[in-house]
Structures are given as structure tokens and as C-alpha cells.
Amino acid sequence: AYEELLELVSDPRSDVAGAALAALGATRDSRRVEPLRRIPWPVESDDALGLERARTLLRLGDWSMIPRLIDGLEHESFMVRTLCLQALQEATREDFDYHPGEDEPVRRFGVVRWQEWWRARSADPILTGGGG
């Protein structure tokens, strides 16, 4: 089923591609990181599908997309912000008092704390995919 899911990640229908990404992430199978990385991906933009890809990679153990998920905490969609936070919390066990339903100025405080946390750790090659 992995091969079929990896194929569906490139489906032009974003709901199909998103569901395939979510299913891959739910497996927590780190062996899927490299095949997923090899799939050509359009230039990263502030779209929900790009954030779903980042979320999937993090759920599979690839922390290199954490900055993208932190950016997703500022997305206009409450659901997208919630999913980004959920992935970050699952991986790090942190929340930095960020609440996706708060007003933007209140959310911004939590985003800054996430950014500071990542800056303090981003040089670690184990977390950014450069180790081992």
C-alpha cells in the first residue's frame, strides 16, 4: 500500500494528495521519509497541501520541515493552524502557549516562542536531517 500512497501524493486533486500524505504520516514509518522526499514537489508556498507534506514528514521523523510548520501557525485557516500545532506538539511535546483560535496578536506571541525554540536547536544535525 505504501507505493500506492506515494503515487497518490502527486495526484492533481489536492484532497486526494492530502489524504495520501495524512495516511503516510499516520504510519509513523520513518522508512517513508526518503521516498517522499524524492517525489517532485511544486515550489513551497503558503498552501495547506504544502503544510500537510511538512506535517507528514515530521510525523515520519524528519524534523527539517519544522520551520515550515511554525510558519503554518500563522496561516489564515484555523484548521491548518491547528494541524500544524498538533504535529509540532506530537514531535516536541511543547506548545509555547500557542492557541490557534486566539486573535492574531495573541497567536503571534506563541509563534515567536516557537521560532526562538527552533533557532536554538536548528544547528543540531540530528534534528535537521544532516546527522548519522
Side-chain angles (χ1 to χ4, degrees), residues 5-7 9-10 24 34-41 53:
L5 286 172
L6 286 166
E7 223 173 274
V9 165
S10 298
L24 282 168
E34 287 309 315
L36 184 57
R37 281 184 180 168
R38 286 193 298 266
I39 294 172
W41 198 258
R53 179 176 181 256

Side-chain angles (χ1 to χ4, degrees), residues 16 25 33 55 58 64 72-73 122-123:
V16 172
V33 169
R55 184 173 170 260
L58 180 58
S64 68
L73 296 175
S122 62

Side-chain angles (χ1 to χ4, degrees), residues 41-84:
W41 198 258
V43 173
E44 299 289 350
S45 63
D46 192 33
D47 66 349
L49 188 57
L51 290 165
E52 184 62 36
R53 179 176 181 256
R55 184 173 170 260
T56 296
L57 285 165
L58 180 58
R59 293 182 84 200
L60 295 175
D62 178 358
W63 284 42
S64 68
M65 298 299 274
I66 282 183
R68 180 106 166 92
L69 291 166
I70 292 171
D71 290 345
L73 296 175
E74 297 184 280
H75 196 275
E76 64 188 34
S77 165
F78 169 77
M79 181 59 71
V80 171
R81 293 192 307 266
T82 300
L83 291 173
C84 289

